[in-house]
Amino acid sequence: MSFLPRGGRPMLDGTAGPRPSALTLLAWTNVLMGLSAASATFATCQVLGEKADFIAAAFAFAVITAMYTRDRLTGPDAEGALGSREAWMARHHRAMRTWMGLCGLMALVTAVLRPWCALALILAWLSGRWYAKPWIPFRGRRVALRQLPGLKVPYVVAVWVTVAVLPVAAGNDLLTLASTWWWALSVMLIGSVEVINNDLRDVGADRLDGTRSLPVLLGVAGAKRLGYALVVLGLLASAAVSPLVGVVWGGYAAALLACHRPERDARLRPWIESQVAIAALAASVPVGAYGL
């Protein structure tokens, strides 16, 4: 299947207009999430005072990209309405599986070069299997972990910390430092807001799938309020290691919550998928700048 841009087609919301190219859809829905994970790795290196580890960043990119690609290929709307991202993934199933295989190969190569990444790869693979495969008895049927009430957000951010934060800390013998765990906690708290931002957009598909995400359980307004509370907690956690990162990243995540409008959910918005890049940019600011 070609990844070259094409002419006018229905938009993602089914209305007439120029349809994003296959390459654009691939980048927005998968690659940007991988770049976000790589950004979390670079931010971790900066916050913990280590040199940028491009191999660890490539590992995080490969694993998260592969996991999100797999999730798209098996998502609830895989056979959904014409124009949906998931329907596009279904039509390009072979190409997407090839892409997923290349990401898996990259993850294996980086895991050989970084032993701690190998352990994280095993945990990520197990997590991916448990997350999407229905295996848990719940109310007379078997469900996946992502379908259990409210579990999607903490599970996803735990995987992100396992892939993007802990390998850097372990590779530099920093697992016993309190700053490592304060940073991991702030990533989980503010990172949860990123997941909520994505879940707000996917609330219709989650209802269809039976995934009881926070916006499904609490409603849009309730999920936003919880997101704001998580930002505040994330600011408190990050104050122990990198206050500037907490202020910039947390403020950006809160702004995305405030700007969310349901009528825009069908549009491609890279500033949501790539928002952890804000944390990496803030972490690159020299210590002591602006008095923080």
Side-chain angles (χ1 to χ4, degrees):
M1 299 294 180
S2 173
F3 284 159
L4 296 176
R6 295 184 178 179
R9 295 287 181 86
M11 294 184 68
L12 292 180
D13 57 3
T15 60
R19 183 185 179 191
S21 69
L23 179 60
T24 300
L25 280 167
L26 172 64
W28 259 236
T29 56
N30 303 94
V31 175
L32 286 178
M33 294 302 296
L35 290 175
S36 211
S39 297
T41 298
F42 286 128
T44 298
C45 293
Q46 293 283 349
V47 169
L48 298 182
E50 301 295 331
K51 293 182 179 179
D53 191 336
F54 289 90
I55 294 177
F59 169 77
F61 168 85
V63 171
I64 294 301
T65 303
M67 291 182 72
Y68 272 84
T69 302
R70 183 179 184 275
D71 190 43
R72 294 293 184 188
L73 289 173
T74 59
D77 199 24
E79 300 297 336
L82 178 65
S84 70
R85 287 172 298 168
E86 289 77 8
W88 179 89
M89 294 291 176
R91 291 195 300 273
H92 296 78
H93 193 275
R94 180 178 298 179
M96 297 305 296
R97 288 193 67 85
T98 300
W99 168 250
M100 191 168 62
L102 290 174
C103 290
L105 179 61
M106 182 190 297
L108 287 173
V109 171
T110 54
V112 170
L113 297 174
R114 292 288 188 274
W116 280 103
C117 288
L119 177 58
L121 179 60
I122 294 172
L123 294 175
W125 181 82
L126 291 173
S127 298
R129 298 283 294 178
W130 293 336
Y131 178 71
K133 184 177 181 180
W135 63 279
I136 304 172
F138 183 73
R139 295 183 176 179
R141 64 189 182 105
R142 292 188 179 275
V143 299
L145 273 171
R146 68 181 180 187
Q147 295 174 305
L148 292 176
L151 193 60
K152 184 178 181 181
V153 168
Y155 194 79
V156 168
V157 293
V159 171
W160 275 62
V161 169
T162 300
V163 168
V165 175
L166 296 186
V168 173
N172 292 284
D173 297 322
L174 301 175
L175 287 177
T176 58
L177 294 182
S179 58
T180 296
W181 297 103
W182 278 115
W183 171 243
L185 179 60
S186 64
V187 170
M188 292 191 70
L189 290 168
I190 304 178
S192 295
V193 185
E194 176 174 3
V195 182
I196 291 174
N197 272 309
N198 280 289
D199 286 348
L200 286 170
R201 182 181 54 195
D202 297 334
V203 64
D206 283 343
R207 287 196 182 105
L208 183 66
D209 180 44
T211 297
R212 303 182 69 185
S213 63
L214 291 175
V216 172
L217 286 172
L218 305 176
V220 171
K224 285 185 176 184
R225 286 193 292 269
L226 177 60
Y228 297 137
L230 290 172
V231 167
V232 173
L233 293 175
L235 292 176
L236 294 175
S238 64
V241 284
S242 185
L244 182 61
V245 174
V247 170
V248 174
W249 184 21
Y252 185 77
L256 289 179
L257 281 178
C259 293
H260 171 262
R261 298 293 183 273
E263 60 271 15
R264 301 174 185 168
D265 284 344
R267 301 177 187 176
L268 298 174
R269 289 168 290 167
W271 49 87
I272 292 180
E273 277 85 356
S274 58
Q275 63 188 272
V276 185
I278 299 298
L281 292 173
S284 66
V285 175
V287 176
Y290 308 110
L292 295 172

